[in-house]
Amino acid sequence: MKKRWLARRLLLFILALFVLLYANFERDGGERLSVSGISPAPAARRPPPASEALRRTPRAELRLEDIFISLKTTGRFHGTRLALLLETWISTTKSHTFIFTDEDDDHLKAQGGYNVVVTGCRSDHSQQALGCKMAAEYEGFLASDKRWFCHVDDDNYVNGQALVATLADFPQDGDIYVGKASLDKPITAHELMEGNQTRQVKFWFATGGAGFCLSRRLAHKMSPWARGPRFQETSAKISLPDDCTVGFIVEERLGVSMVHCPLFHSHLENLMLLDRASILQQVTLSYGPLGDKMNSVELKGSFSKEEDPSRFKSLHCLLYPLTRWCP
């Protein structure tokens, strides 16, 4: 009888000891997890090649309507370059694409529904004319309620789905300047100082020909050098055009590094070398003459190269096959 009583007491003691040890293990383990920041969630993805300085945050809730897409053009290209964009990608982003031009257009007015801003800037390709339009674009964005400012030229195709996916991976309340450089090293400029002195500055800039984007927070911080006439004044101080001026303000004045993203493309690169399998994932594409050929992506589509030399129509029909004019 006494042996059975001792056995029961021993068993209860062992069980109590096990419970105590288990509870202590759970508490210590939880503390270790909390201190180290380890989470039972899947391991974080590798940082994107677009930026070594920024790590992607969990994908934000971002809609295409949250992006101010700013298109720079000129009157002589309304019937050619602009007409192609109106027929293709702008048809999917009409309400939040803003067309900045230097010439009024009755035909555009007659079509209705387009956000056309006649800037009053000169129609040439001079530093002053380009800076004038960029200043107007910048002011237009600040006056809007959009979260991102994305500038493109009239020879760019904008893949809205890829644009949203790219921007959603950045901190929405951060200082973000993303695009693609046209040079393989920072540009060198000479900033005009007081007393007619100059100082050498070096900075990266995202080429306007491939398009670039700025977060609202960063755009607001640019104000001391970009609001009103100050953008053109800043441009004149470094004797460089609009896209270089944006890079100067962001990198040199604000100390924010440009995020290099390979998904933006201009006619300055050989677009025929772009991997066909990745074309539908690119944010922007372009086209233009390259010797005696057309510099455009190699893409099998519903239109021949003669019918669609830019390949924009073929690309658009792959992305939006239900478009009424797609074969």
Side-chain angles (χ1 to χ4, degrees), residues 30-311:
E31 289 173 353
R32 285 194 299 271
L33 289 174
S34 176
V35 171
S36 66
I38 297 173
S39 169
R45 292 179 296 169
R46 293 175 61 190
S51 171
E52 295 178 1
L54 294 172
R55 290 183 179 274
R56 293 190 180 191
T57 57
R59 187 175 291 275
E61 288 296 326
L62 183 68
R63 305 167 304 159
L64 193 54
E65 293 79 8
D66 296 323
I67 304 171
F68 185 101
I69 303 177
S70 178
L71 171 70
K72 181 180 68 183
T73 188
T74 185
R76 69 180 182 278
F77 289 141
H78 284 188
T80 52
R81 293 183 180 183
L82 181 58
L84 174 62
L85 305 189
L86 297 178
E87 192 175 17
T88 54
W89 67 266
I90 292 180
S91 67
T92 68
T93 63
K94 187 175 181 179
S95 65
H96 42 280
T97 295
F98 297 81
I99 302 166
F100 290 82
T101 185
D102 46 54
E103 186 176 304
D104 212 348
D105 191 321
D106 292 336
H107 180 64
L108 273 178
K109 286 182 179 178
Q111 293 183 63
Y114 292 110
N115 302 305
V116 180
V117 180
V118 182
T119 61
C121 302
R122 287 158 45 182
S123 61
D124 56 53
H125 207 65
S126 66
Q127 175 189 324
Q128 293 77 15
L130 295 174
C132 177
K133 284 180 184 173
M134 184 62 74
E137 294 177 58
Y138 176 75
E139 293 288 345
F141 167 69
L142 291 185
S144 75
D145 61 351
K146 307 300 184 185
R147 295 162 66 180
W148 289 89
F149 167 56
C150 293
H151 158 89
V152 292
D153 282 350
D154 58 9
D155 58 356
N156 286 134
Y157 184 99
V158 178
N159 182 342
Q161 301 167 52
L163 179 62
V164 171
T166 298
L167 297 183
D169 277 331
F170 290 107
Q172 300 300 294
D173 58 352
D175 295 330
I176 310 299
Y177 169 45
V178 56
K180 188 172 188 177
S182 57
L183 306 174
D184 59 2
K185 60 182 178 181
I187 192 171
T188 299
H190 292 85
E191 180 188 2
L192 182 63
M193 310 292 286
E194 291 184 6
N196 210 31
Q197 299 295 310
T198 62
R199 73 178 183 108
Q200 182 173 288
V201 290
K202 293 184 178 182
F203 55 90
W204 288 102
F205 74 95
T207 177
F212 61 80
C213 296
L214 294 161
S215 62
R216 174 164 282 276
R217 173 171 149 164
L218 182 58
H220 271 290
K221 288 184 177 181
M222 293 171 58
S223 294
W225 304 278
R227 289 302 300 263
R230 283 170 285 188
F231 187 90
Q232 289 179 273
E233 291 169 2
T234 304
S235 176
K237 282 187 176 182
I238 58 174
S239 300
L240 288 173
D242 54 336
D243 49 1
C244 299
T245 303
V246 172
F248 171 75
I249 295 172
V250 172
E251 288 220 341
E252 181 65 23
R253 288 289 187 256
L254 297 174
V256 175
S257 297
M258 170 195 160
V259 181
H260 297 252
C261 182
L263 301 178
F264 292 76
H265 301 279
S266 78
H267 65 275
L268 297 176
E269 61 187 280
N270 191 341
L271 296 162
M272 292 179 280
L273 299 179
L274 194 62
D275 178 28
R276 294 187 189 186
S278 71
I279 288 175
L280 298 185
Q281 282 73 54
Q282 307 307 305
V283 174
T284 65
L285 292 169
S286 187
Y287 68 98
L290 182 64
D292 59 350
K293 295 182 179 180
M294 174 60 75
N295 181 21
S296 61
V297 294
E298 290 289 337
L299 183 67
K300 290 184 178 180
S302 304
F303 299 92
S304 68
K305 288 186 177 181
E306 290 71 29
E307 296 172 308
D308 180 28
S310 68
R311 308 310 286 153

